[in-house]
Amino acid sequence: MPTALKDAIAAALPLATVVGMSGDEDTPARIDAGGRVVVRSGDPGEPEVDLSPLAYNYDQRISVELAALTESALDDMLGAIGAVIEADRTLGGLCTWVDATAPETEEIYVAGGAPPRGANVIVTASYTTPHPFT
C-alpha cells in the first residue's frame, strides 16, 4: 500500500521530490521548489481476525510527511494529496478503504533563513487478507 500511495502522490505532484521510506531512516534534508514528500511504510499492527471465513483485517497507518518553502505551496500539496485519496479510495483495488487525518502543520527550523512549512498526515489503509503474510 505505501508504494501505491507514493506513486499516486508522485503523479499528482510532478514537481515535488516524493520518496518512500521504511522505519526511522533520515529524511532527505533538501526541500526543492516543488516541495518534498516522504511516505513512510508504517506498520499494519495486529489484525482483527474473523473466523468464518478466516480473514485478517488490518488498518495500516502510513505517515506522509510534507515540506514546502511557503504556506501556499504546502496548502497546494495537501489539496493534491486529498484529491488523490478522494479519487481512488481503494488504491487501485489494494485495500477496501483509504482515509486520512487532518494535517498537523509546523514550521521547520533552518539556520539563517525563512522557515519552510511542514505537515504530517496519517493515511490509514484498511484491507482484508486470507492469511497474515500479505
Side-chain angles (χ1 to χ4, degrees):
M1 253 81 43
T3 301
L5 181 61
K6 178 189 76 74
D7 292 345
I9 291 171
L13 296 170
L15 299 178
T17 301
V18 181
V19 295
M21 304 180 96
S22 59
D24 293 329
E25 297 174 62
D26 288 337
T27 303
R30 183 177 174 92
I31 301 172
D32 295 323
R36 179 189 68 212
V37 180
V38 176
V39 180
R40 299 205 182 262
S41 60
D43 180 5
E46 290 297 316
E48 290 185 24
V49 180
D50 295 334
L51 297 177
S52 182
L54 184 60
Y56 296 86
N57 305 294
Y58 290 94
D59 290 321
Q60 184 167 352
R61 294 172 49 90
I62 303 165
S63 177
V64 179
E65 303 164 8
L66 298 94
L69 297 177
T70 66
E71 184 80 30
S72 64
L74 182 63
D75 289 345
D76 292 344
M77 292 171 69
L78 288 166
I81 291 172
V84 163
I85 292 170
E86 192 173 323
D88 184 5
R89 293 277 185 178
T90 67
L91 286 178
L94 292 175
C95 53
T96 53
W97 190 254
V98 175
D99 206 359
T101 63
E104 295 178 17
T105 59
E106 61 183 325
E107 285 187 354
I108 301 170
Y109 174 77
V110 292
R117 296 291 296 164
N120 189 45
V121 175
I122 301 298
V123 176
T124 302
S126 301
Y127 61 96
T128 301
T129 181
H131 52 80
F133 306 119
T134 336

